Every structure is written in structure tokens, then in C-alpha cells.
Amino acid sequence: MRVGFVGTGVIAAAMVEALSGRGHDLLVSSRNAATAADLAQRFDDVRVLDNPDVVSRADVVFLCLMADVARDVLAALPWRGDQSVISVMADLPLVQLTALCAPASDIALTIPLSSITAGRSVLPCHPDSDALRALFGESDTIIPVATEAGLNAHFVASALSAPILAMMQTGAGWLADQTGDSKAAEAYVAGVFAGFMRQMSVQGADFETLLEGLATEGGLNATLLAQIAETGAPDALVQGMVGLQARLGI
Ligand SMILES: NC(=O)c1ccc[n+]([C@@H]2O[C@H](COP(=O)([O-])OP(=O)(O)OC[C@H]3O[C@@H](n4cnc5c(N)ncnc54)[C@H](OP(=O)(O)O)[C@@H]3O)[C@@H](O)[C@H]2O)c1
């Protein structure tokens, strides 16, 4: 398949890395120039073209721009009715994309994260997309979401990634201060959570079950959890998500 990327930034680079070596022709736009050049140098199946060439040649085009840039540049590109368009942009609704990319009409929204380079990531999408399934269905889990508002709520939930990873980093940093081995400290903290995540994916456990297993009264986990709750951090998390929800107009 010829797979195009308009906007060659952080998330496009991760998707290109994920798709490289799978028999596709990967066409990336020339901005960001340094990222595009780096991808072309690292992967034989990557070519750097300008935006119109990416769009005119690709069977599937991923839109990886900031939304305000997309509003300025997309309408002038040579879209075709027989190609698929997949946007990863949080704040450009389908109705606007449909107008900007006409006559292309097979248009979907999805939410990749940079962990897609390792496979087994989750890709919520709306509407369901044969093109996305063809490209990532074997390596990753496609989650069709019934409504655009529901997909946008997944965008909000995807923003849990940085706060939770940052908390894990803080905890691993504290451990490293005690042991003097930061690599081992990160591996330990990551391993603890990987174990719980496996329990969910392999055994079907839910968060409540995992927390019950850590709720021994007066135990270390219960004590730290209560202290964190007293700071108001869980409420701040929900308030932050509500703020993002308002920003996305859900
Ligand atoms: N990062 C993530 O984890 C993530 C996850 C899901 C969705 N998203 C969404 O993906 C989009 C891109 O995010 P990002 O993190 O990849 O941002 P980014 O690294 O800033 O990438 C945006 C790219 O667009 C390029 N660009 C600007 N004007 C352009 C033009 N006229 N034609 C072609 N390309 C142009 C920029 O190039 P210059 O640097 O040369 O300006 C930059 O490389 C956003 O809408 C974001 O919400 C990101």
C-alpha cells in the first residue's frame, strides 16, 4: 500500500517507524525537514515528497498536523475520491475534515500514541476504518468507537499517559536515590505495572480487582494511596480531564 503522511512530526515519525519494513511505500511530507530526512535515512521504504505529491500518490493519507495548520493547508491538496484519509488530530471534527478533503469521503479519526513503535498498542477509531485495520489490525488492537463524541472522550483519556508516566518516573527516581541504580529502578517500576497490565489483558482482571488486591488495611499501598488522595490529586486529575473535554467541545 502507498501510505502518506501530511505533517512529519512526533506522531507521524512513530507511525512510520511502526509501518516500516511491512511492504508499504511510505511517503512523508517534507515538514518537519529534519524528521523527514532522518526517517528517509533510517528506513529504505520512506520517501520525502511535498504535500501535494504525498496526497496525489497515496492510497491512505494520515493527517498528522496541528489543527490550525490543517485548516489552512488541506483544502488546496489534490484529494481523490478513491483514497482513504485517517486523521490523528484531536480538534478537527469529521464534518470539517470532510469539507477540507473532498472528494475523499472515506475519512476516519484515530488516536495513535508513540508506543505504537513497539506494537500491541490500542487504536480507538471513529468510524471503523478498513484502511486502519489493513495497516495496523495485525500488530495493534483497533477499537471502533460508535460516536465522534465518544472518540473525543478517548482523546481526553489518552492524556492520562503523561501524568501517570511522570508519577512512575518520580517513584522510580526516588527508588534510584536509595539504590544508586536508576536503570534497575526504572525496570522495577515498569515491571510492577507491566505485571498488573498483563493480569488485565491475559486474565481479564479489572482495576477494582487489582486495587482490592492492594488494599490491605494499614499496608504500604493503602497508606500511600490515602496520602495521595488527601492531596486532592485524584480530583485534580478528573478536573483536568473535564477541562480537556470542554476544549474539544464534547
Ligand atoms: N504526539 C502524540 O503523541 C499525538 C498523539 C495523538 C494525536 N496527536 C495529534 O497529532 C498532531 C501532530 O502532533 P505531533 O505531536 O506529531 O506534533 P508535531 O511534532 O509538532 O508535528 C506537526 C508537524 O506538522 C508540520 N507542519 C507544519 N506546517 C506544515 C505544513 N504546511 N505542511 C506539512 N507539514 C506541516 C510541522 O513541521 P515544522 O516542525 O516544520 O513546523 C510538524 O512536523 C496533533 O494534531 C496532535 O493532536 C499527537
Side-chain angles (χ1 to χ4, degrees):
M1 221 185 276
R2 283 188 171 169
V3 187
F5 292 83
V6 177
T8 310
V10 171
I11 202 60
M15 297 178 88
V16 166
E17 183 173 340
L19 289 173
S20 178
R22 297 193 200 174
H24 305 300
D25 197 5
L26 304 173
L27 314 175
V28 303
S29 64
S30 45
R31 279 187 61 183
N32 175 283
T35 305
D38 175 63
L39 290 168
Q41 195 252 322
R42 286 164 61 206
F43 305 118
D44 289 345
D45 43 7
V46 172
R47 279 190 291 156
V48 182
L49 302 171
D50 60 20
N51 288 344
D53 277 343
V54 168
V55 169
S56 66
R57 293 177 195 208
D59 304 307
V60 181
V61 181
F62 283 97
L63 302 179
C64 303
L65 299 163
M66 302 310 285
D68 54 344
V69 175
R71 287 190 187 91
D72 286 344
V73 305
L74 291 183
L77 298 177
W79 300 103
R80 303 191 317 271
D82 66 346
Q83 66 191 162
S84 302
V85 178
I86 303 176
S87 168
V88 308
M89 297 179 287
D91 25 24
L92 196 55
L94 267 180
V95 65
Q96 289 182 34
L97 282 170
T98 304
L100 290 166
C101 300
S105 58
D106 179 22
I107 302 178
L109 304 167
T110 191
I111 313 172
L113 295 172
S114 47
S115 60
I116 199 166
T117 55
R120 293 193 180 187
S121 71
V122 283
L123 286 167
C125 72
H126 173 79
D128 203 350
S129 164
D130 288 342
L132 188 69
R133 285 184 181 281
L135 290 168
F136 287 106
E138 282 189 16
S139 54
D140 298 83
T141 302
I142 312 292
I143 304 174
V145 180
T147 64
E148 190 169 355
L151 195 273
N152 282 337
H154 284 71
F155 262 114
V156 172
S158 76
L160 289 168
S161 308
I164 291 175
L165 286 173
M167 283 193 79
M168 291 169 69
Q169 184 187 36
T170 300
W174 181 89
L175 177 58
D177 286 344
Q178 315 311 307
T179 62
D181 187 341
S182 59
K183 238 183 154 48
E186 291 213 346
Y188 174 71
V189 171
V192 166
F193 287 93
F196 287 123
M197 296 306 100
R198 255 196 316 280
Q199 211 182 334
M200 294 184 89
S201 61
V202 175
Q203 298 178 332
D206 57 18
F207 286 122
E208 194 176 343
T209 308
L210 299 189
L211 284 166
E212 277 169 6
L214 296 165
T216 309
E217 210 178 322
L220 301 180
N221 267 279
T223 302
L224 191 55
L225 183 63
Q227 283 174 1
I228 297 286
E230 269 175 29
T231 68
D235 291 339
L237 191 69
V238 174
Q239 281 316 306
M241 292 176 82
V242 169
L244 293 180
Q245 183 181 27
R247 176 174 136 185
L248 295 183
I250 312 171

